[in-house]
Amino acid sequence: MKYILIANTAFCVILGFILVLFPIAIIDFDPKDIPLITVSRSLGFVIVVMSFLSLFMNRLKDNIQMIQAGLFLLTIFHGGMMLTTILGSYQRIMPSPWPFIHFLFMIIFIRFAYKAVKQ
């Protein structure tokens, strides 16, 4: 689980900062559309916060309640992001690989959450 949390942290930090600093690099919209830029930057901050969750989970691995709650939150986060990016890909404003990346993270976190609850 340590390596998937590191991968999630790196993925979310990079993606989050790109969305905060230069959202047009990931989402295709008019650069003059201020509401969309604001929402994209807000999403970027949410993604960075989720990266801190996985970072803290790696550091507090002896606290089983923290691990269970964190895995549950990461599963819901990546599931929601998967649905959002599916819609974005369908509307051609987001690249199509994003739903698959979030799906993989979601499945992995579901597996780890299931194992953590069984302990």
Side-chain angles (χ1 to χ4, degrees):
M1 183 167 63
K2 175 182 176 180
Y3 298 111
I4 193 66
L5 288 173
I6 291 170
N8 185 66
T9 302
F11 174 70
C12 287
V13 164
I14 292 167
L15 185 64
F17 279 121
I18 290 172
L19 278 172
V20 169
L21 300 174
F22 194 61
I24 301 167
I26 296 174
I27 303 173
D28 184 28
F29 56 85
D30 183 15
K32 295 177 184 172
D33 194 351
I34 301 301
L36 274 176
I37 290 175
T38 304
V39 169
S40 298
R41 287 187 173 144
S42 298
L43 177 62
F45 279 113
V46 169
I47 292 171
V48 170
V49 167
M50 294 309 285
S51 72
F52 283 111
L53 173 64
S54 58
L55 179 68
F56 291 142
M57 286 174 61
N58 234 352
R59 300 212 37 165
L60 302 171
K61 59 183 172 250
D62 296 332
N63 186 340
I64 191 67
Q65 286 88 9
M66 171 70 175
I67 297 298
Q68 289 173 341
L71 288 170
F72 179 71
L73 289 172
L74 288 170
T75 299
I76 290 181
F77 169 73
H78 282 290
M81 290 302 296
M82 179 190 68
L83 293 174
T84 302
T85 55
I86 285 172
L87 292 172
S89 295
Y90 178 73
Q91 295 169 343
R92 300 192 193 282
I93 60 171
M94 296 188 115
S96 58
W98 293 117
F100 298 109
I101 294 168
H102 287 294
F103 177 73
L104 290 175
F105 274 115
M106 183 186 70
I107 293 299
I108 291 168
F109 285 129
I110 286 172
R111 183 175 152 256
F112 283 127
Y114 180 74
K115 288 169 82 173
V117 169
K118 285 181 70 174
Q119 285 183 338

